[in-house]
Amino acid sequence: MGYSSNNTIAKSKGTAILFAKSIPFQHRATLVDGGGRYVVVKGTIADRMYTFANIYAPNKSQHKFLAKFLTTLKDFTEGCLVLGGDFNLPMDPLRDTSLGRSAVPARILRRINSLLHSNRLVDCWRALHPEDRDYTFFSHPAQTYSRLDYFFLSHYHLQDLHSATIGNLTWSDHAPVTMTLTSPLYRTTAPTWRLNDFLLSDPTVIQDCTQALEHYFTENANPDLAPLTIWEAHKCVIRGFYIQKASEFKRQKSTAITDTLKRIATLETLHKGSLDADGLVELTAARRELTTLLNSSYHRQCQRSKMFFFAHGDKSGRLLARMLQKQRAASYIAKIRDSHNQIHYLPGDIQSTIRSYYESLYNLPGHTPDREGATNRTDIRDYLTTHLKCRLPQSTARLLELPLSAEELTGALKASKTGKCPGPDGLPLNYYKRFLKTLAPHFLLAFNSVPEGRLIPPQTLSANITLIPKDGKDAAQCENYRPISLLNCDLKIFAKILASRLLPHITDLIHPDQTGFIPGREARDNTIRALTLTHRAQRRGEELLLLSTDAEKAFDRVNWDFLFATLEHIGLGPHLCAWIRALYINPTARICVNGMYTAPFKIRNGTRQGCPLSPLLFTLALEPFLAAIRGSPDVRGLRVGPTEHKIAAYADDLLFFISRPETTLPNVLQAFHRYGLLSNLKINYAKSFILNISLSSRRVSALTPRFPFQWATSRIKYLGIWVT
């Protein structure tokens, strides 16, 4: 295997051959199966550890063999794992056999693919040839071709894959498979830094940090410098301070551990020769000292391992291991499908595909007037004037205009939960809580300058986006991930203060039909209401349809022009509007994909999932649509006494109560279309369902082809509750 050029591995008939060139493979250990089914070797090439595993699977119960083998392999593997061999089955019969089918049961294929996915092993040839068909074996009796021989590589080393080819069938009944790995010396990584919470509990470091902060703000108290610039620059200074302190602690701890180990070795040697009781006491004390030194490392490792999993048992065991493995596998993206329906397996292609999807999602047409299809602000004002009648009293609006206060800052910090991942600056919430007394005046001075025309620095507005897969959805589709923005904690504190100001008055602005994120309202208000109206319609023979709609990326598609026009229309003052608008002036984000960050891109629409203010802003932006539905005489609901029930909402989860569907459904579609042009809301009709409660089957048959919604046969799920 040559390191100066490419590392080449070939396999034929279950035998792996390493072609050595300039640098030899230095063998470390070997693992051999007594039954002759596998052989595993590990060693180094140019000081880099590799594990090469070769298997010859049986011709039945391959899933059981592979599960047992991977369990054994996990404890043996070090470094880059290369797994090759004859698996005796096609992984994907549709593409890996000439007939497009296989005699291997589907459950075995599903189990094997699940095992490979959970162990993050990628089919190298398929990764480079996603749509091609080629085979490694020809069956003379059946006269069929199939691909039974594979190379698998860990996803985290897939960037080293240069090529994978299938040779010709010559002297053997199996074709040779060749894989080439490039040199791993250079790898692009995104530098990340996060403040170690341990440094926030050391009294000496706290005292030194306080002095450093006071010195910095004293030295830079210059009226010619923008307060926000001074505030953002202090993060660079404090990062350098903590990096220096962390390095000092690391050196001291490493030295102490080394010295203690040497002392233990000396004492053990003496005790072995003399068996002196005093020597044993001294040796025990030295061992206890070593344990104390290592405890902090163990504690941090336990925190990283999500200690709450131990609630499922008194001891860590198989249950904990399975839960952790499932959690890690869920966040791992093995493949992704692009807009042209092509599947990508390589890390670089996965990153670029996901980045392109979210960059287009956060840069929808209609944000600026000079874009094609841009929203007409006059139309927005006319829409809001027509449908949105509620406004804040001027006295309340004046109270919301007051400068941010120290009491509000303290309250926001107390209400914020610690232990959450910080944003790109790496400073956690505990940092601001620990040094509140020193930082508070400068925080307030910085963010109170926003209404004066000061812009929040781009570094403060940057975010890291982490993707959470939706349960039960195809993980190969970009839209089946929920993007959570990890914002800088100072920005979240600022947004928390603004949310705390708005929250007491939000019930005056949002109709009771909306129960999402509103104090005193709960999701069960809507579900009980839906069940009650359903029973009433059935009992009294009143016509009723339930329409549950699914909004596509509702939070991420919000049009900022529409949002800010809504805030001004409901009577928010210029200072509060300026504070909110400052959160949306040139923000950027980068996406974390399998531990690697994409290049940053600009965001031009949407409310960030993870920002404390986003839920309130979204409900305010959706309220004009709900008001339009309630006020439309052409949308008929179910009347109970003086109240006509038309719609129930929990954020973007909408449930319509529809009577006279022949005229109501077209008007609901028209209302969606009108609001969507102004706000970017997009309904996913394939996931929006109608449930017939009391209409005749003849009327349902006539209605079904006229509307794009799906018709449920017996039940629909709303807010996790089945309505039948």
Side-chain angles (χ1 to χ4, degrees):
M1 176 174 292
Y3 191 79
S4 58
S5 57
N6 289 334
N7 309 325
T8 304
I9 308 168
K11 188 203 72 63
S12 178
K13 190 56 178 175
T15 303
I17 307 169
L18 281 69
F19 294 103
K21 292 186 180 178
S22 58
I23 298 179
F25 174 77
Q26 297 181 350
H27 176 263
R28 294 285 181 86
T30 302
L31 179 66
V32 180
D33 176 36
R37 287 293 177 185
Y38 61 80
V39 57
V40 187
V41 297
K42 65 180 176 182
T44 59
I45 301 175
D47 294 328
R48 191 193 189 201
M49 182 64 72
Y50 287 85
T51 300
F52 299 100
N54 177 241
I55 70 171
Y56 181 63
N59 56 12
K60 61 180 181 179
S61 300
Q62 296 93 331
H63 60 303
K64 295 181 180 179
F65 163 77
L66 187 62
K68 185 177 179 180
F69 170 71
L70 289 176
T71 302
T72 304
L73 184 64
K74 186 179 298 183
D75 297 330
F76 184 82
T77 299
E78 289 185 64
C80 175
L81 171 64
V82 179
L83 170 61
D86 183 353
F87 283 69
N88 251 322
L89 53 74
M91 298 294 174
D92 183 358
L94 188 63
R95 292 186 295 175
D96 291 337
T97 62
S98 57
L99 292 179
R101 62 179 184 273
S102 170
V104 179
R107 60 181 178 82
I108 293 181
L109 296 176
R110 286 196 300 268
R111 176 58 179 157
I112 287 180
N113 281 286
S114 175
L115 286 169
L116 294 171
H117 177 81
S118 62
N119 286 273
R120 293 159 174 76
L121 293 173
V122 179
D123 180 358
C124 297
W125 188 86
R126 180 59 67 195
L128 295 175
H129 307 84
E131 302 298 332
D132 294 350
R133 298 168 71 96
D134 204 350
Y135 313 103
T136 65
F137 176 74
F138 178 71
S139 172
H140 287 276
Q143 293 292 296
T144 59
Y145 281 97
S146 54
R147 190 163 72 97
L148 309 179
D149 308 86
Y150 299 87
F151 268 123
F152 290 93
L153 192 65
S154 169
H155 183 276
Y156 299 113
H157 297 96
L158 203 60
Q159 64 270 10
D160 298 340
L161 180 62
H162 180 266
S163 64
T165 58
I166 297 175
N168 297 321
L169 289 162
T170 52
W171 54 270
S172 171
D173 57 350
H174 284 253
V177 182
T178 305
M179 183 180 74
T180 304
L181 301 178
T182 57
S183 170
L185 284 176
Y186 175 76
R187 185 179 304 166
T188 56
T189 56
T192 56
W193 176 83
R194 179 177 179 178
L195 176 58
N196 189 341
D197 289 341
F198 164 74
L199 297 173
L200 295 174
S201 59
D202 187 276
T204 305
V205 177
I206 292 174
Q207 183 178 357
D208 292 345
C209 183
T210 303
Q211 293 176 357
L213 287 171
E214 291 174 350
H215 177 73
Y216 166 80
F217 285 116
T218 302
E219 289 290 319
N220 292 277
N222 189 340
D224 296 331
L225 290 176
L228 281 164
T229 303
I230 296 174
W231 173 260
E232 182 62 29
H234 106 273
K235 298 180 186 178
C236 301
V237 175
I238 214 62
R239 275 199 296 268
F241 169 83
Y242 275 114
I243 290 172
Q244 177 187 0
K245 289 294 182 182
S247 299
E248 291 177 2
F249 272 100
K250 187 176 181 180
R251 284 194 299 269
Q252 293 171 3
K253 183 177 179 181
S254 178
T255 302
I257 291 174
T258 302
D259 293 344
T260 305
L261 286 171
K262 289 180 179 178
R263 187 152 54 91
I264 289 173
T266 303
L267 291 171
E268 279 184 344
T269 303
L270 294 174
H271 184 258
K272 288 174 183 177
S274 64
L275 296 178
D276 181 38
D278 293 337
L280 180 60
V281 172
E282 189 176 356
L283 178 59
T284 304
R287 288 170 175 167
R288 189 181 299 112
E289 182 181 343
L290 179 63
T291 302
T292 303
L293 288 171
L294 295 175
N295 270 346
S296 60
S297 298
Y298 297 152
H299 177 68
R300 182 164 180 81
Q301 290 170 6
C302 288
Q303 284 184 324
R304 287 182 173 181
S305 299
K306 305 288 188 181
M307 287 294 292
F308 64 85
F309 281 102
F310 283 98
H312 296 273
D314 295 331
K315 297 181 180 179
S316 60
R318 186 172 297 177
L319 175 61
L320 172 64
R322 287 177 177 174
M323 294 181 72
L324 287 173
Q325 185 179 25
K326 183 178 180 181
Q327 182 194 41
R328 290 168 182 162
S331 60
Y332 158 70
I333 303 175
K335 60 183 178 180
I336 207 71
R337 194 182 300 273
D338 62 18
S339 58
H340 302 291
N341 208 32
Q342 182 177 355
I343 296 180
H344 297 278
Y345 297 87
L346 298 180
D349 295 339
I350 292 176
Q351 275 198 349
S352 60
T353 300
I354 291 177
R355 183 186 183 276
S356 298
Y357 173 81
Y358 282 99
E359 185 177 21
S360 61
L361 175 64
Y362 289 118
N363 288 269
L364 295 174
H367 172 64
T368 55
D370 55 338
R371 290 192 182 186
E372 183 179 354
T375 301
N376 188 322
R377 288 185 172 84
T378 303
D379 292 342
I380 292 177
R381 287 195 297 269
D382 292 344
Y383 185 87
L384 295 174
T385 302
T386 303
H387 301 296
L388 198 57
K389 306 300 181 182
C390 57
R391 289 181 62 88
L392 278 178
Q394 291 186 358
S395 57
T396 301
R398 284 194 293 270
L399 289 175
L400 298 178
E401 292 289 280
L402 296 176
L404 308 181
S405 66
E407 291 76 13
E408 288 178 309
L409 174 57
T410 303
L413 281 171
K414 287 183 178 179
S416 300
K417 295 181 180 179
T418 58
K420 294 188 176 181
C421 187
D425 64 11
L427 295 173
L429 194 66
N430 278 338
Y431 165 73
Y432 296 98
K433 290 190 174 185
R434 176 68 67 181
F435 301 104
L436 175 61
K437 185 177 179 181
T438 304
L439 295 174
H442 307 285
F443 177 95
L444 296 172
L445 179 64
F447 287 98
N448 276 327
S449 67
V450 169
E452 300 172 5
R454 305 284 190 180
L455 297 180
I456 298 178
Q459 296 85 351
T460 307
L461 293 172
S462 63
N464 293 335
I465 294 179
T466 182
L467 303 178
I468 299 179
K470 297 180 179 179
D471 292 338
K473 305 292 185 179
D474 182 9
Q477 300 286 353
C478 292
E479 60 267 23
N480 291 333
Y481 290 86
R482 183 172 289 106
I484 302 298
S485 295
L486 302 179
L487 304 174
N488 291 325
C489 286
D490 58 338
L491 195 73
K492 292 178 70 173
I493 295 169
F494 172 56
K496 185 76 171 180
I497 295 174
L498 300 182
S500 300
R501 284 196 171 189
L502 270 177
L503 205 57
H505 312 288
I506 200 72
T507 53
D508 299 329
L509 300 172
I510 304 297
H511 191 275
D513 284 343
Q514 173 66 268
T515 60
F517 313 113
I518 308 299
R521 303 178 190 175
E522 299 178 358
R524 65 176 181 176
D525 297 343
N526 285 355
T527 54
I528 292 175
R529 182 180 172 197
L531 294 172
T532 302
L533 293 177
T534 298
H535 291 310
R536 174 190 171 89
Q538 291 175 330
R539 188 170 59 250
R540 299 195 176 191
E542 299 171 318
E543 59 181 37
L544 178 64
L545 295 178
L546 297 183
L547 168 61
S548 175
T549 59
D550 179 82
E552 184 176 310
K553 299 291 184 185
F555 279 74
D556 304 311
R557 297 179 61 92
V558 173
N559 185 314
W560 291 351
D561 289 337
F562 188 88
L563 171 62
F564 298 139
T566 302
L567 298 181
E568 293 174 1
H569 182 81
I570 63 176
L572 297 188
H575 285 189
L576 186 55
C577 287
W579 277 318
I580 296 174
R581 192 182 293 269
L583 297 171
Y584 295 93
I585 297 179
N586 295 324
T588 60
R590 56 180 186 167
I591 303 174
C592 183
V593 181
N594 295 336
M596 301 287 290
Y597 286 102
T598 66
F601 55 88
K602 291 185 177 180
I603 295 177
R604 301 186 184 276
N605 54 260
T607 61
R608 291 172 163 179
Q609 298 197 39
C611 173
L613 189 59
S614 289
L616 298 183
L617 295 181
F618 180 81
T619 56
L620 288 170
L622 186 64
E623 184 61 19
F625 171 75
L626 303 181
I629 293 295
R630 286 190 297 268
S632 173
D634 298 320
V635 175
R636 302 303 299 270
L638 187 64
R639 181 171 293 278
V640 179
T643 305
E644 186 176 8
H645 297 270
K646 296 184 179 182
I647 190 171
Y650 187 86
D652 60 315
D653 290 318
L654 306 181
L655 184 67
F656 294 82
F657 308 104
I658 293 175
S659 62
R660 300 186 187 178
E662 291 82 1
T663 57
T664 296
L665 283 175
N667 286 290
V668 169
L669 285 173
Q670 185 178 0
F672 271 127
H673 177 71
R674 176 62 175 159
Y675 178 74
L677 290 176
L678 303 176
S679 69
N680 281 338
L681 183 75
K682 184 179 180 181
I683 295 299
N684 188 342
Y685 293 109
K687 298 180 181 179
S688 300
F689 291 89
I690 296 179
L691 177 66
N692 175 31
I693 300 299
S694 54
L695 266 66
S696 65
S697 57
R698 181 180 58 82
R699 291 181 66 186
V700 171
S701 299
L703 289 169
T704 301
R706 292 179 53 189
F707 303 102
F709 305 108
Q710 307 300 309
W711 287 76
T713 55
S714 60
R715 61 180 185 172
I716 59 173
K717 180 176 282 189
Y718 179 66
L719 300 181
I721 301 296
W722 286 109
V723 181
T724 64

